[in-house]
Amino acid sequence: FKIRSLQHVLEGYKIAPEIAAHGASCSLFSDWWAYKIEAFDAIPFAAALLHDAGAMVCLKSDSNELMRHMYQEAAKCVKYGGMSENEALKTITLNGAKQLGLERRLGSIEVGKDADLAVFNGHPLNGYSRVELTLIDGEIAFQRDKTFKPAEYAQGSPAKPSAKFELPKQLGNSYAITGATVHPVTGPARKANLLVNDGKITQIGSFPIGGAAVDATGLHIYPGMIDAGTVLGLAELESARETQDYQEGGDFQPDLRAAIAVNPDSELIPVTRANGVLAVVTRPTGSVIAGQGALINLAGWVPREMIVVDPIALHVEFPSGLPFFSFFDPTVSPMSRGLAKKQRDDKVRKLKELFQQALAYEAGRVAAPKSTPVNPRLAAMVPYAKGEKPVIIQAQRHPEIREALKLAEELKLKMILSGATDAWKVADELKRRDVPVIVGPTMAMPQESDDPFDSPYSNAAKLHLAGVRYCIRSEGASNARNLPYQAAMAVSYGLPVEEGLKAVTLYPAQILGVADQLGSLDVGKRAHLVITNGDMLQASTQVLAVAIDGKMMAPESKQSKLYDRYRQRLQEVKDGKAI
């Protein structure tokens, strides 16, 4: 028998010629990986390799959220492997129809086919585009609500794949990057040279080049992106507990420090770095007080070489009650609801008491240092309880956000809100209290069944309009590299383009208190640089080189090495040199 369709096909690229010869089509993810052992060799170049071998490729989602923006996933086929725009679009249109045997009715716009149409406000592979109207069999199935109006038309087209970019072999500590368009973020983009000395930016503009240089003519230079909420370096495989080191037992662990558990050899780090995310907050999770996070660079032999600020903040996950809808769900018993509420209230009470105990402990230590026994947990909480260092509180739904705001005000905490899918519902209160928000992930499902379908997408835009300080983060570890596309989705739904770029560069630096070092291309700041062939937030744009503290690196990783290896095998099969 013949296999019509192979599903997931995570390592199908390794035997791409055999799959093509058999005639099977492939349904795979654009770039998911590392969520389990058998996904650790999954690469985002797989679709392009299979296509080059002659196999038909379809992209799939396996996710209620991801299926909502498959057009953005298709754009990654241009980025990873250089597929044409038309072939990339086929992975989510005609190829799927062919796989199902429905190409006579679906998958392309032709006379006689079903009138199943999607109307965009820009090129479908432009990360700033969104769907305005859909028709199924000629009937309107969806029409976007017009009460919240962003820009009418999404400007721009997908980036064209670049030829291989070669870095000079010997750059040293001083070099210039020439001929590129510099995007400082703090000012307008302009064509200029950029000079790096001893890891710092020392000059931007027109000046004579007297030493080593990187020719970036026609390319773009951006500041490295900062992800303000990950477990990068603390987790390797989502399904393998043995590779996870971001959580300890117990609900209250303020003395834990993420920095000492970071694995510099994690394969996830170069994968993330290769897409322009050069610094992250890596943090403990899974407890009410999970511990203290650190801001780290994504390069270094040992953790202390990677650290920018340690600790950066205390991380609190505000206890959540039962989901709102459960109070109207007859299958959830009153006893279950009551028990859940009691457990939650106990955790909130204990959380409050620990901050108060930390202040009492500090007062006793100052008054009688010799007679006050050492308490590592309370000692760790002192600078946070005194409001000297920030407390990042994770809360998604608006009831928890409101309670967290009240608690922070009562305890006089230096609060930063994180997650905050419902932040748009309390934007005025966040503005009044001047609480900054780390929004993320943007690409998420609404919290309540009656929320607008696009409320997580437009969350950042509504906070921006309300004057709330904010930035955008990703959703963890293996896909932290997709941080720029979280920002692009926010742009699709109302955030100005320049704000989207700041949301993953300058704004996280400001919220985390490191804007004097990172977040923009300004003289005197660390040389965290990203060289691209287009708009950094676009899913089709290729990152060609990065620099961390001035050290220039090619965007190489486990994934790019696997791609090169199996692209060579494919070529050898085509040339008759391999079986």
Side-chain angles (χ1 to χ4, degrees):
F1 65 92
K2 255 199 167 185
I3 297 172
R4 186 181 189 97
S5 169
L6 290 166
Q7 296 292 311
H8 289 231
V9 212
L10 298 173
E11 292 187 13
Y13 66 91
K14 295 182 178 181
I15 53 167
E18 288 80 358
I19 291 175
H22 181 83
S25 64
C26 299
S27 288
L28 67 159
F29 306 122
S30 65
D31 66 346
W32 279 16
W33 82 298
Y35 53 90
K36 54 185 178 179
I37 285 286
E38 55 266 48
F40 202 51
D41 275 8
I43 62 173
F45 304 93
L49 266 177
L50 286 160
H51 169 72
D52 289 347
M56 189 172 70
V57 177
C58 311
L59 294 184
K60 62 187 295 183
S61 69
D62 267 20
S63 160
N64 289 342
E65 168 51 34
L66 193 60
M67 72 167 67
R68 304 206 295 162
H69 45 85
M70 291 301 293
Y71 50 93
Q72 191 179 72
E73 299 304 297
K76 295 174 184 176
C77 294
V78 178
K79 176 191 188 75
Y80 298 111
M83 287 176 67
S84 69
E85 293 176 15
N86 198 46
E87 291 300 326
L89 283 171
K90 284 182 181 179
T91 65
I92 56 171
T93 55
L94 186 58
N95 290 357
K98 287 180 177 178
Q99 186 179 93
L100 296 169
L102 295 172
E103 67 270 24
R104 293 185 180 181
R105 293 179 52 194
L106 310 173
S108 61
I109 301 175
E110 297 180 62
V111 173
K113 285 195 172 184
D114 293 3
D116 294 352
L117 305 170
V119 181
F120 288 78
N121 71 333
H123 195 296
L125 302 186
N126 176 356
Y128 302 147
S129 297
R130 65 174 184 272
V131 176
E132 297 288 343
L133 180 73
T134 58
L135 292 86
I136 298 177
D137 291 335
E139 298 289 338
I140 293 177
F142 164 80
Q143 186 170 13
R144 179 173 159 75
D145 179 26
K146 299 298 182 183
T147 58
F148 180 67
K149 284 190 176 181
E152 290 300 320
Y153 183 74
Q155 301 292 331
S157 296
K160 303 297 182 186
S162 288
K164 189 170 179 63
F165 181 72
E166 297 287 349
L167 286 170
K169 291 184 179 180
Q170 298 294 331
L171 277 178
N173 293 329
S174 178
Y175 61 88
I177 304 175
T178 64
T181 299
V182 177
H183 299 260
V185 176
T186 49
R190 69 186 193 278
K191 286 192 175 181
N193 299 328
L194 186 149
L195 186 64
V196 174
N197 274 305
D198 294 326
K200 299 288 185 69
I201 300 170
T202 55
Q203 195 172 352
I204 301 175
S206 178
F207 51 83
I209 308 301
V214 177
D215 183 5
T217 301
L219 302 177
H220 301 260
I221 308 176
Y222 289 90
M225 288 177 280
I226 304 168
D227 193 332
T230 77
V231 290
L232 201 61
L234 306 177
E236 199 73 0
L237 293 163
E238 292 177 23
S239 67
R241 185 177 179 183
E242 297 81 2
T243 71
Q244 299 170 4
D245 201 12
Y246 53 77
Q247 181 180 359
E248 297 289 346
D251 286 329
F252 302 94
Q253 302 283 351
D255 50 324
L256 297 182
R257 286 173 45 221
I260 62 174
V262 169
N263 174 18
D265 291 324
S266 167
E267 296 286 7
L268 277 62
I269 288 176
V271 166
T272 304
R273 184 177 66 217
N275 206 33
V277 181
L278 305 187
V280 304
V281 171
T282 190
R283 74 217 193 279
T285 66
S287 303
V288 179
I289 299 181
Q292 302 172 76
L295 179 65
I296 61 171
N297 286 332
L298 296 190
W301 289 107
V302 293
R304 59 183 167 79
E305 289 184 2
M306 303 169 71
I307 289 170
V308 180
V309 180
D310 174 41
I312 189 73
L314 182 69
H315 290 268
V316 172
E317 297 185 10
F318 201 83
S320 177
L322 286 173
F324 177 78
F325 59 80
S326 70
F327 289 95
F328 304 96
D329 186 346
T331 64
V332 180
S333 69
M335 183 177 295
S336 296
R337 286 196 292 266
L339 178 61
K341 184 178 185 304
K342 181 180 183 302
Q343 291 173 338
R344 177 188 174 281
D345 291 347
D346 286 345
K347 290 179 180 180
V348 174
R349 176 182 54 77
K350 179 65 173 175
L351 175 64
K352 179 178 177 180
E353 287 176 354
L354 273 174
F355 278 103
Q356 293 170 335
Q357 289 170 11
L359 291 176
Y361 169 81
E362 173 67 0
R365 191 193 63 81
V366 172
K370 292 183 178 180
S371 60
T372 302
V374 174
N375 186 319
R377 291 188 176 186
L378 293 180
M381 290 187 66
V382 168
Y384 305 102
K386 294 172 69 175
E388 295 171 352
K389 293 182 73 69
V391 178
I392 297 179
I393 301 181
Q394 171 89 10
Q396 299 288 4
R397 296 174 60 250
H398 66 95
E400 283 81 36
I401 294 174
R402 291 183 191 278
E403 283 192 67
L405 289 171
K406 289 179 181 177
L407 180 69
E409 185 174 49
E410 179 181 349
L411 297 176
K412 296 181 173 57
L413 303 180
K414 187 178 181 181
M415 176 182 170
I416 299 173
L417 178 63
S418 184
T421 305
D422 271 359
W424 60 281
K425 296 179 182 178
V426 293
D428 290 344
E429 190 170 352
L430 290 166
K431 170 63 176 175
R432 180 174 62 81
R433 298 175 186 264
D434 191 28
V435 172
V437 182
I438 301 171
V439 176
T442 301
M443 289 184 274
M445 297 295 288
Q447 290 292 294
E448 310 291 356
S449 59
D450 57 352
D451 284 344
F453 80 96
D454 59 354
S455 56
Y457 300 161
S458 61
N459 190 14
K462 291 175 179 177
L463 293 175
H464 167 64
L465 289 175
V468 176
R469 292 186 290 143
Y470 70 96
C471 67
I472 292 174
R473 68 168 173 86
S474 72
E475 53 185 331
S478 61
N479 285 317
R481 61 171 166 195
N482 288 334
L483 175 65
Y485 318 138
Q486 301 283 348
M489 183 60 75
V491 172
S492 300
Y493 287 84
L495 194 65
V497 174
E498 63 275 10
E499 283 290 310
L501 181 57
K502 290 178 181 179
V504 291
T505 54
L506 183 61
Y507 290 165
Q510 291 175 340
I511 290 172
L512 297 170
V514 293
D516 59 330
Q517 302 180 58
L518 302 172
S520 63
L521 302 180
D522 290 307
V523 172
K525 287 193 176 184
R526 293 185 181 213
H528 278 217
L529 314 171
V530 183
I531 300 177
T532 73
N533 67 338
D535 185 336
M536 187 167 67
L537 301 188
Q538 293 284 352
S540 58
T541 293
Q542 293 171 313
V543 172
L544 305 176
V546 300
I548 294 180
D549 286 337
K551 182 182 179 182
M552 192 69 73
M553 292 169 275
E556 294 178 344
S557 68
K558 170 188 173 77
Q559 295 182 342
S560 66
K561 291 172 184 175
L562 283 170
Y563 173 54
D564 290 341
R565 174 181 171 86
Y566 286 96
R567 183 170 55 170
Q568 180 182 344
R569 179 186 187 254
L570 176 59
Q571 189 59 52
E572 288 183 5
V573 171
K574 288 181 177 180
D575 294 342
K577 297 178 181 179
I579 299 175

